[in-house]
């Protein structure tokens, strides 16, 4: 018993901080990583990796980089490690690559940069290796396009373990939640077991074909985030100072362009369905009707989503007005009453 | 294409949260619990009409002698190499200063500042306390001034 008391006293007097389990993730065990890399357990199972953990720093870097690209796609490299069937992303770095979706392997341009950066990073104790790549789809959702799928399949052949992360900075701002997805492709010819359909997301009309053709070639990973104890303190103190800015911003203003875009897209989709219905009447085939019905359901889902976002923006404005502007009026009324 | 207001005197420093998180992450990697070895790095950003916008940063290998404060080493080849790489991604970000995790000023900070001044004469030093104890923000920005002592 004495030793316990003594330990407690010593801890108190010396301000000993317990390194919580969360910070364990930050330690890089080179031997363990080397073992995992030689064993290569992912070769036998195409569905080996199920989870992915992203650090707060990596997430922030990716979102800021994607946002800074505006409406252009941006691309970057992910550094991290593997732990069982979880991939861990510790850091991200932007790559100087021109954002265009029309090249087969957009990364070839950046190989030299990637190699130089990873080398240099080791000098400042960033010991992790490349674990994947990320790129942005500004405004059109998180999924892998045909080019992305072929790039990723190539990566998964030569750079394993590798993951593809897609981030949508525009939808992130409009929804208020980071729109991000991590994917791994199946090897060519592999028939995946029929899984439940993933969370529905609205795909703009001009991209819907590209999405549909390839959506079965890859699967999403379960994403979670982590931050160190120091990160938490820092973020808390930042929040304590800047909550006013967050409260005062209006999502309606920042997303005006995006919302308009969504409405246009919706009208295009409705027009398309309308013309199909017209044709269906003449030919009268059942299969055609079912397809248009599906399209209409999807269009109504999209419409609902946009409406909800706009409603949220309006509601928050009304609530803020009531809370902050009316109180003053009430006070003034009370003061009048007292004076009289 | 001259840089915008490059020589306007700085009166305010705005640090992006990304920089703070990067520095804390760097400190975490190098950090030995209890040993107050500080980490040093370079700040990138731009100067807009007297407001210094610090939008990015990177760490540099830095070493100093615990006993003799005037012995220190900062790898400038690494610095220039990294800066070159960051410049390829965003040409508008220039070196605007440097940071260390303090928590207080050290005697050799002036000498290190001199070295960074070779890249930008108006370089600022931002001390970022990775383990803030009290409320408020953990950053303090300093700029060196020349004082003439009449002795």
């Amino acid at each position: 018993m004495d030793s316990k008391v003594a330990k407690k006293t010593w801890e108190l007097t010396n301000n000993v901080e317990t390194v919580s389990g969360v910070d364990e993730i930050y330690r890089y065990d080179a031997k363990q990583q080397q073992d995992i890399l030689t064993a290569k357990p992912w070769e036998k199972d195409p569905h080996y990796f199920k989870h992915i953990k992203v650090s707060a720093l990596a997430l922030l870097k990716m979102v800021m980089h994607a946002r800074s690209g505006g409406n252009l796609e941006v691309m970057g490299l992910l550094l991290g490690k593997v732990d069982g069937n979880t991939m861990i992303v510790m850091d991200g770095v932007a790559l100087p690559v021109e954002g265009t979706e029309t090249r087969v392997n957009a990364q070839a341009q950046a190989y030299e940069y990637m190699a130089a950066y990873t080398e240099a990073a080791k000098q400042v104790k960033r010991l992790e290796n490349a674990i994947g790549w990320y790129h942005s789809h500004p405004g059109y959702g998180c999924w892998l396009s045909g080019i992305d799928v072929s790039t990723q399949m190539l990566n998964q052949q030569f750079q394993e373990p590798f993951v593809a992360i897609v981030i949508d900075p525009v939808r992130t701002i409009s929804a208020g939640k980071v729109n991000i997805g991590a994917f791994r492709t199946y090897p060519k010819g592999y028939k995946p077991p029929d899984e439940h359909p993933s969370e529905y997301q609205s795909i703009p009309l001009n991209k819907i074909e590209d999405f549909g053709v390839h959506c079965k070639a890859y699967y999403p990973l379960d994403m979670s985030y982590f931050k160190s104890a120091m990160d938490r303190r820092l973020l808390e103190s930042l929040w304590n100072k800047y909550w006013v800015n967050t409260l005062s911003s209006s999502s309606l203003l920042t997303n005006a362009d995006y919302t308009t875009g969504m409405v246009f897209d919706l009208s295009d989709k409705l027009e398309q369905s309308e013309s199909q219905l017209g044709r269906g009447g003449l030919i009268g085939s059942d299969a055609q009707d079912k397809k248009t019905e599906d399209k209409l359901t999807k269009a109504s889902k999209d419409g609902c989503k946009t409406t909800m976002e706009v409603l949220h923006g309006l509601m928050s404005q009304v609530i803020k007005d009531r809370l902050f502007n009316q109180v003053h009026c009430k006070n003034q009324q009370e003061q009048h009453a007292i004076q009289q | 294409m001259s840089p915008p207001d490059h020589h306007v005197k700085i009166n305010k420093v705005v640090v992006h949260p990304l920089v703070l998180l990067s520095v804390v992450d760097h400190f975490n990697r190098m950090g030995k619990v209890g040993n107050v070895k500080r980490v040093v790095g370079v700040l990138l950003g731009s100067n807009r009409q007297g407001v210094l916008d610090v939008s990015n940063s990177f760490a540099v290998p830095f070493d100093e002698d615990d006993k003799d404060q005037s012995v220190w080493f900062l790898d400038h080849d690494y610095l220039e190499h990294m800066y070159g790489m960051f410049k390829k991604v965003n040409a508008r970000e220039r070196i605007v200063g440097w940071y260390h995790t303090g928590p207080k000023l050290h005697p050799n900070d002036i000498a290190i500042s001199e070295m960074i001044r070779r890249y930008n004469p108006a370089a600022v030093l931002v001390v970022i306390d990775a383990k803030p104890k009290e409320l408020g923000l953990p950053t303090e920005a300093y700029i060196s001034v020349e004082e003439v002592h009449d002795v």
Side-chain angles (χ1 to χ4, degrees):
Chain A
M1 267 329 239
D2 264 327
S3 60
K4 272 205 191 146
V5 173
K7 183 166 179 248
K8 272 254 161 75
T9 340
W10 181 79
E11 279 186 286
L12 276 172
T13 41
N14 288 296
N15 262 333
V16 174
E17 264 190 326
T18 37
V19 176
S20 67
V22 170
D23 285 355
E24 282 294 301
I25 213 174
Y26 285 89
R27 275 194 302 130
Y28 183 74
D29 189 343
K31 175 115 198 345
Q32 185 200 35
Q33 288 300 306
Q34 202 44 47
D35 288 340
I36 295 182
L37 284 173
T38 26
K40 293 202 220 285
W42 46 81
E43 273 186 354
K44 301 170 205 108
D45 181 5
H47 214 307
Y48 181 72
F49 289 113
K50 301 204 174 26
H51 306 279
I52 181 166
K53 288 198 188 148
V54 180
S55 77
L57 178 67
L59 185 65
L60 188 59
K61 276 198 181 171
M62 287 194 280
V63 174
M64 294 297 289
H65 184 206
R67 188 97 177 117
S68 71
N71 278 324
L72 285 178
E73 288 89 1
V74 298
M75 193 168 133
L77 182 70
L78 298 167
L79 300 172
K81 55 192 182 185
V82 168
D83 186 13
N85 56 8
T86 307
M87 303 184 99
I88 303 175
V89 176
M90 309 293 296
D91 197 3
V93 55
L95 287 174
V97 175
E98 230 174 71
T100 140
E101 292 262 335
T102 61
R103 269 171 302 152
V104 174
N105 192 357
Q107 284 173 273
Q109 211 180 342
Y111 283 147
E112 214 184 283
Y113 188 96
M114 291 200 279
Y117 188 90
T118 335
E119 261 313 296
K122 292 216 174 12
Q123 288 188 284
V124 279
K125 298 278 175 48
R126 165 62 73 211
L127 305 163
E128 285 83 13
N129 289 316
I131 192 95
W133 63 301
Y134 69 89
H135 68 289
S136 66
H137 278 182
Y140 52 100
C142 295
W143 44 281
L144 290 182
S145 69
I147 316 287
D148 296 337
V149 169
S150 31
T151 312
Q152 181 58 11
M153 288 218 275
L154 206 67
N155 284 329
Q156 289 191 204
Q157 269 191 298
F158 298 113
Q159 298 202 57
E160 279 283 61
F162 224 66
V163 68
I165 286 191
V166 181
I167 193 161
D168 184 343
V170 182
R171 288 192 185 183
T172 297
I173 304 292
S174 91
K177 178 175 174 243
V178 183
N179 202 252
I180 189 172
F183 308 103
R184 274 185 61 81
T185 50
Y186 293 120
K188 226 179 184 129
Y190 177 77
K191 237 341 163 150
D194 215 11
E195 316 160 337
H196 55 266
S198 47
E199 203 183 297
Y200 174 74
Q201 52 175 334
S202 155
I203 314 284
L205 199 57
N206 56 357
K207 304 265 179 196
I208 225 170
E209 230 182 272
D210 199 4
F211 171 72
V213 172
H214 301 276
C215 64
K216 290 279 171 241
Y218 54 91
Y219 69 94
L221 294 165
D222 241 345
M223 200 181 270
S224 61
Y225 308 102
F226 64 92
K227 55 182 183 236
S228 71
M230 282 198 247
D231 283 345
R232 198 169 24 94
R233 249 192 275 187
L234 181 69
L235 291 170
E236 263 172 28
S237 52
L238 276 176
W239 176 249
N240 286 341
K241 183 149 201 281
Y242 291 111
W243 58 272
V244 184
N245 298 52
T246 316
L247 198 56
S248 56
S249 68
S250 163
S251 63
L252 290 174
L253 294 170
T254 30
N255 305 327
D257 283 335
Y258 173 67
T259 319
T260 326
M262 288 302 275
V263 177
F264 267 127
D265 187 62
L266 187 61
S267 71
D268 283 338
K269 285 184 178 160
L270 286 175
E271 267 181 31
Q272 206 196 44
S273 307
E274 206 184 346
S275 58
Q276 278 200 333
L277 270 175
R279 262 185 279 132
L282 289 171
I283 304 171
S285 58
D286 278 322
Q288 195 76 303
D289 275 347
K290 186 123 200 287
K291 250 204 224 160
T292 40
E293 230 177 69
D294 265 339
K295 282 218 173 112
L296 286 176
T297 335
K298 286 202 180 137
S300 63
K301 267 197 208 166
D302 292 348
C304 281
K305 176 172 161 288
T306 319
T307 323
M308 289 298 283
E309 285 177 3
V310 176
L311 269 178
H312 278 148
L314 283 170
M315 267 202 308
S316 61
Q317 287 303 99
V318 171
I319 292 178
K320 282 189 266 189
D321 183 52
R322 271 292 166 81
L323 272 177
F324 303 118
N325 295 348
Q326 313 280 5
V327 176
H328 188 56
C329 293
K330 237 175 101 174
N331 279 344
Q332 277 190 332
Q333 280 175 358
E334 280 175 4
Q335 278 180 0
H336 264 286
I338 294 171
Q339 277 170 5
Q340 278 167 5
Chain B
M1 258 207 315
S2 61
D5 307 326
H6 197 58
H7 297 291
V8 174
K9 207 135 185 291
I10 299 168
N11 56 21
K12 190 165 162 191
V13 176
V14 175
V15 178
H16 289 219
L18 178 60
V19 172
L20 296 177
L21 269 184
S22 299
V23 173
V24 167
D25 178 71
H26 182 199
F27 184 73
N28 220 354
R29 293 200 301 267
M30 310 288 266
K32 296 117 181 70
V33 179
N35 182 354
V36 209
K37 216 147 203 263
R38 58 175 177 159
V39 295
V40 167
V42 168
L43 296 170
L44 305 167
S46 52
N47 179 349
R48 304 216 169 265
Q49 283 137 359
V51 176
L52 188 63
D53 198 38
V54 181
S55 49
N56 209 342
S57 66
F58 61 84
V60 297
F62 174 78
D63 228 339
E64 61 186 346
D65 194 342
D66 282 342
K67 321 273 178 353
D68 186 354
Q69 285 283 320
S70 62
V71 175
W72 54 272
F73 166 73
L74 195 141
D75 194 340
H76 12 152
D77 287 330
Y78 181 95
L79 200 163
E80 282 166 31
H81 182 165
M82 265 305 206
Y83 178 47
M85 294 217 279
F86 272 85
K87 210 156 189 266
K88 281 200 214 158
V89 178
N90 188 344
R92 264 175 282 136
E93 279 182 350
R94 359 186 111 258
I95 295 186
V96 292
W98 63 295
Y99 69 84
H100 71 72
T101 47
K104 301 192 191 64
L105 288 175
H106 289 229
N108 50 16
D109 283 355
I110 299 226
I112 306 176
S113 271
E114 279 307 303
M115 195 180 117
I116 305 287
R117 296 253 279 238
R118 280 196 277 142
Y119 303 101
N120 183 336
V124 297
L125 157 64
V126 181
V127 176
I128 299 176
D129 190 358
K131 293 209 213 147
K133 298 274 182 310
E134 54 310 298
L135 297 166
L137 293 176
T139 57
E140 290 258 344
Y142 300 93
I143 191 160
S144 66
V145 290
E146 290 203 353
E147 269 191 354
V148 180
H149 281 271
D150 291 324
V151 176

